[in-house]
Amino acid sequence: MCGRFAQYSSRDDYFDSLGLKPDEIIYDPEPIGRFNVAPGTNVLLLNERDDELHLDPVYWGYDPEWWNKQPLINARSETAPTGRMRMFKPLWEQGRAIVPADGWYEWKREGDRKQPYFIHHKAKEPLFFAAIGRAPYGKDHGHEGFVIVTAASNKGMVDIHDRRPLVLRADAVREWLGAETTPGRAQDIAHEAALPEQDFTWHPVSAKVGNIHNQGEMLIEEINPEGT
């Protein structure tokens, strides 16, 4: 977790949820239309620099030259600020960002196969995944992009997966992004402002989501699992 998500709404939908005014950020108002966002691709990332908000295409993954392993795509909220993965500490301090999204996918083993599920807000509200990465985001850092911060699925969702994106309340996003927010305060936000498991619902979807080349609204539609 989290290895696939959907970012298909218009930027207006995301920004309206944040209470942003039209002059606070410059953007293309057309729907993003990505129903199957995969690691290793550029993703629209909300970030703050020079006291202004920006929405930049940033590589999903963190793969410094010295890493010599598969690119990292997630970071645990419990350990990223201070844990043994010390590479995350500076990202937590200076590279906090937000991934606007509509939901994410998880695969659950059912018998001899894995069934994908689409997880989203019960009220179909936009989601705001906490992220950390290599700042400033207006520059091309190659494969040193960003990772999605994850949290434990303590109850309700653990039957799908034991980890999930750390989804922040809309009213906590600006503080999470703010340069004046200390790393310690960011830890508090991660703990206090995360949406609880009971705010989400999920349903089985087509196995076609497993192919990163597949896109379209049909990927998030509920199916009869026996019909996949």
Side-chain angles (χ1 to χ4, degrees):
M1 182 312 97
C2 163
R4 295 285 178 83
F5 67 92
Q7 189 185 60
Y8 55 77
S9 294
S10 75
R11 295 152 180 82
D12 283 339
D13 291 332
Y14 300 132
F15 298 157
D16 285 349
S17 293
L18 296 175
L20 295 183
K21 299 176 183 178
D23 60 350
E24 286 189 85
I25 187 169
I26 298 174
Y27 63 93
D28 179 349
E30 289 299 310
I32 297 170
R34 297 184 68 184
F35 289 84
N36 193 7
V37 180
T41 62
N42 284 353
V43 178
L44 287 176
L45 197 68
L46 184 65
N47 62 95
E48 181 180 298
R49 59 180 185 272
D50 300 324
D51 297 322
E52 293 183 344
L53 290 176
H54 298 263
L55 193 66
D56 298 303
V58 181
Y59 179 83
W60 180 13
Y62 192 68
D63 185 21
E65 290 185 3
W66 53 267
W67 180 236
N68 295 322
K69 298 179 183 180
Q70 284 290 102
L72 297 166
I73 61 172
N74 299 145
R76 290 176 175 251
S77 61
E78 302 91 338
T79 58
T82 57
R84 74 179 175 81
M85 293 292 289
R86 296 185 181 276
M87 71 170 76
F88 288 147
K89 185 176 180 180
L91 308 186
W92 185 276
E93 293 175 349
Q94 300 178 351
R96 292 186 304 274
I98 288 289
V99 179
D102 297 276
W104 73 95
Y105 300 95
E106 292 294 359
W107 278 256
K108 179 184 177 184
R109 181 164 291 283
E110 297 181 352
D112 59 353
R113 63 187 179 87
K114 287 187 176 181
Q115 172 61 51
Y117 285 79
F118 182 62
I119 305 171
H120 59 91
H121 195 280
K122 285 182 176 178
K124 298 186 177 180
E125 295 179 1
L127 305 180
F128 301 101
F129 298 166
I132 56 175
R134 174 82 180 275
Y137 289 110
K139 296 183 179 180
D140 180 9
H141 298 299
H143 289 179
E144 291 186 71
F146 77 93
V147 296
I148 292 174
V149 179
T150 68
S153 294
N154 294 317
K155 44 190 171 180
M157 202 180 293
V158 72
D159 56 335
I160 299 296
H161 203 281
D162 61 351
R163 305 292 300 178
R164 63 184 180 90
L166 177 65
V167 184
L168 297 180
R169 296 194 316 264
D171 62 5
V173 165
R174 295 299 294 269
E175 187 177 10
W176 169 264
L177 294 176
E180 72 283 357
T181 300
T182 66
R185 177 54 188 156
Q187 286 182 264
D188 292 339
I189 294 170
H191 178 71
E192 299 167 359
L195 294 186
E197 284 84 353
Q198 57 263 33
D199 282 5
F200 301 96
T201 187
W202 52 88
H203 57 261
V205 295
S206 170
K208 291 180 179 179
V209 72
N211 186 330
I212 63 173
H213 300 292
N214 290 331
Q215 290 289 340
E217 190 171 358
M218 57 89 175
L219 295 179
I220 65 169
E221 294 176 351
E222 184 170 4
I223 64 160
N224 177 352
E226 296 181 358
T228 58

